[in-house]
Amino acid sequence: MHPKIRTLLAKFSRVELIPWETPIQYLPRISEMLGVEVYVKRDDLTGLGIGGNKARKLEFLLGDALAKGADTIITMGAVHSNHAFVTALAAKKLGLDVILVLRGKETLKGNYLLDKLMGIETRVYDVEKTPDLIPYAEKVAKELEEQGKRPYIIPIGGASPVGTLGYVRMVGELSTQISSLGLKFDSIVDAVGSGGTLAGILLGLELAGLEVEPVGMAVGIFGEKMTQKVVDLAKETAKLLDVSVELKEPKIYDYSFGAYGRIVREVAELIRLVGTKEGILLDPVYTGKAFYGLMDLAKRGELGERILFVHTGGMPGIFHYGEDMLRLLNLQ
């Protein structure tokens, strides 16, 4: 762990959900295809449930919840949300109650199947009528307070300054790993949904003094709105850490294929390619789109000679959208 980052984070409450450092893996066959070196930071192997990036954010979010005396966790997301399921599992592991406020259709597959198997309480609302879930979460919190409970609301994706600390910490971990491996990366790439992971990487790189270009592949909202959201969140996190830093805008590219959650043939083919070439599974909503963007930009020489991809998890998305992908690949 980078000493400066360790010192800055020491004052924050944190629960340990990840019992190891996630490995950095070289992808020789993909690298040969692209003519550059591609590595993966395997944050799909964080060790809690289905793994993924959310566990890093939850170490600080649930640490904060416990420090504030909370007994019930409320969080939000799509019905297939990785974040919602992993949050619920982590809360249960720590002896906390949890209620998930979700939007979409109740189909028993992917993460929603896991929610039901684990006996997690869910409140599901029609997707078109409920674009904003925050009022629903606040209503649930008020109900709990009237019952004498102490709820704690975690935002979608854990994208808050407290949650962003998890990816500042990841960069602290990464800095010692790349030093011991003798590697220097030109760019670090991740999928951008709610923005907390890239915000933490952006701030962490500055604190650790690593000269690596942070690059986001937007899988949902895009444009100035997303870029500004990431920068603002990084600045809010720096304020929480009580540090003064100069943050440049990260490069964010649109690989949403038109909308969050839109499943497309190009990404289905990419998931098969990476799976059969390297034995690594990507998902069709986040990492598949982000890795498609990585390959597209790497072919044009826009990411440098050595690239690190942060695999943020999301495997249940394969099983939620599996039938759609099979149809797109003409296999059904």
Side-chain angles (χ1 to χ4, degrees), residues 218-220 222 253-268 270 284-286 288-293 296:
V219 301
F222 184 63
Y253 298 87
D254 185 1
Y255 282 93
S256 66
F257 290 86
Y260 172 80
R262 177 169 292 166
I263 309 305
V264 297
R265 177 181 53 79
E266 294 93 329
V267 174
L270 182 280
V285 178
Y286 293 94
K289 290 183 176 181
F291 204 90
Y292 182 95
D296 188 35

Side-chain angles (χ1 to χ4, degrees), residues 224-241:
E224 293 181 6
K225 182 178 180 182
M226 190 71 246
T227 304
Q228 194 59 50
K229 180 180 179 183
V230 169
V231 172
D232 288 347
L233 185 52
K235 288 179 178 178
E236 290 170 19
T237 308
K239 185 176 180 180
L240 182 65
L241 286 165

Side-chain angles (χ1 to χ4, degrees), residues 298-319:
K299 289 173 185 175
R300 291 186 261 156
E302 295 188 28
L303 298 177
E305 296 298 315
R306 185 177 287 148
I307 307 160
L308 179 66
F309 179 73
V310 181
H311 190 329
T312 50
M315 189 189 298
I318 296 174
F319 303 105

Side-chain angles (χ1 to χ4, degrees), residues 67-87:
K68 292 177 177 175
D71 56 23
T72 307
I73 301 300
I74 301 168
T75 198
M76 301 154 282
V79 74
H80 60 77
S81 170
N82 298 301
H83 162 73
F85 172 66
V86 174
T87 297

Side-chain angles (χ1 to χ4, degrees), residues 52-61 74-78 80-87 100-103 133-134 153-167 190-200 219 226 229 233 260 286 312:
N53 62 332
K54 307 308 180 184
R56 290 194 185 273
K57 301 174 185 182
L58 289 167
E59 287 192 325
F60 288 94
L61 287 162
I74 301 168
T75 198
M76 301 154 282
H80 60 77
S81 170
N82 298 301
H83 162 73
F85 172 66
V86 174
T87 297
L100 302 182
V101 177
L102 307 173
R103 60 171 177 263
L133 291 172
I134 293 174
I153 297 177
I154 292 177
I156 290 175
S160 69
V162 172
T164 299
L165 294 174
Y167 267 82
D190 82 304
V192 179
S194 52
T197 299
L198 184 59
V219 301
M226 190 71 246
K229 180 180 179 183
L233 185 52
Y260 172 80
Y286 293 94
T312 50

